[in-house]
C-alpha cells in the first residue's frame, strides 16, 4: 500500500484544487532514535485549502516511554491517557487509512516525518512515501522578511490562536 501513495499527478495539481491531509503528531520528545514516541495523531482532510466538515481524525496512542511533565503541560496528554489507548500499530493503521493517498501537510515537517518513519519501520518495516508539504518552508518562501515562522506566530498573524484550532479538532472528534 505504501509504495503506491506517491502519485505523480499531484505535482501538476494547483494548490487551490489539491486534496490533502493537514496533520500534527504529539510526541514524548524530539528524538525517535533515542526512544521518544508518538503519543497522538491529529489530522483534518482539506480540499483546496478548505477544511472538509466532518473529516477529522484524532487519537491518543499507548506509549512505552513515560510522558514527561513538560509534554503534558504543552499537549494536555497525560501518561494515564495513554494507558488504555490504542497501540501505536492500531493508531498508525487508522491514521494512514484516514490519510489514504492524499498529500500530507505539516508545519516544520522534519519532526513529524522522522517520527512517522520510525513508527512505520518499527511496526511494518516500511517508510513513508507520501508527498509532504512543509508549511514553514512555504511561509519562508512566501514571506522572506518575516521575523519568525513559528506556527503560533503564523496563526496569530492571520487571526487564529493555535489552542483554538487544537480544541476545535478535539471537540469535533
Amino acid at each position: 500500500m505504501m509504495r503506491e501513495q506517491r502519485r505523480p499527478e499531484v505535482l501538476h495539481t494547483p494548490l487551490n484544487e489539491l486534496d490533502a491531509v493537514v496533520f500534527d503528531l504529539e510526541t514524548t520528545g524530539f528524538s525517535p532514535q533515542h526512544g521518544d514516541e508518538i503519543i497522538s495523531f491529529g489530522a483534518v482532510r482539506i480540499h483546496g485549502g478548505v477544511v472538509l466538515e466532518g473529516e477529522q481524525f484524532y487519537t491518543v496512542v499507548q506509549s512505552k516511554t513515560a510522558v514527561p511533565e513538560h509534554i503534558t503541560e504543552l499537549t494536555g496528554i497525560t501518561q494515564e491517557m495513554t494507558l488504555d489507548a490504542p497501540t501505536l500499530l492500531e493508531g498508525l493503521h487508522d491514521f494512514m487509512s484516514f490519510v489514504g493517498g492524499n498529500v500530507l501537510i505539516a508545519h516544520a515537517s522534519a519532526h513529524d516525518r522522522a517520527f512517522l518513519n520510525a513508527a512505520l519501520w518499527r511496526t511494518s518495516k516500511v517508510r513513508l512515501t507520501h508527498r509532504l508539504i512543509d508549511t514553514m518552508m512555504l511561509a519562508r518562501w512566501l514571506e522572506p522578511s518575516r521575523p519568525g515562522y513559528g506556527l503560533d506566530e503564523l496563526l496569530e498573524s492571520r487571526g487564529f490562536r493555535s489552542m483554538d484550532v487544537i480544541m476545535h479538532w478535539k471537540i469535533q472528534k
Side-chain angles (χ1 to χ4, degrees), residues 53-169:
E53 190 172 327
E55 294 289 322
Q56 58 270 346
F57 175 86
Y58 180 79
T59 189
V60 172
V61 295
Q62 292 177 12
S63 174
K64 295 175 187 159
T65 304
V67 178
E69 188 174 317
H70 71 280
I71 297 296
T72 296
E73 290 173 17
L74 180 67
T75 66
I77 300 170
T78 65
Q79 184 68 41
E80 293 74 31
M81 293 168 70
T82 71
L83 296 177
D84 293 324
T87 65
L88 175 62
L89 180 60
E90 293 167 330
L92 190 57
H93 177 270
D94 292 347
F95 173 72
M96 294 308 295
S97 293
F98 177 80
V99 169
N102 289 303
V103 171
L104 290 168
I105 300 174
H107 191 74
S109 65
H111 172 84
D112 296 299
R113 180 190 299 269
F115 274 90
L116 275 177
N117 271 325
L120 286 165
W121 187 255
R122 188 168 59 244
T123 61
S124 309
K125 302 296 184 240
V126 297
R127 298 272 184 222
L128 185 68
T129 58
H130 289 66
R131 297 197 184 278
L132 193 135
I133 296 172
D134 187 323
T135 55
M136 181 182 280
M137 185 173 65
L138 282 177
R140 287 180 180 196
W141 181 62
L142 293 170
E143 300 180 54
S145 62
R146 282 191 71 81
Y149 298 93
L151 184 56
D152 288 339
E153 183 179 345
L154 291 170
L155 286 169
E156 286 174 17
S157 73
R158 285 161 177 76
F160 297 102
R161 290 182 343 162
S162 61
M163 284 312 296
D164 293 341
V165 174
I166 291 166
M167 292 312 294
H168 178 76
W169 281 11

Side-chain angles (χ1 to χ4, degrees), residues 24-44:
D24 187 37
L25 306 177
E26 299 300 347
T27 62
T28 58
F30 297 103
S31 181
Q33 57 274 47
H34 292 110
D36 290 320
E37 296 182 310
I38 296 170
I39 54 175
S40 79
F41 296 86
V44 294

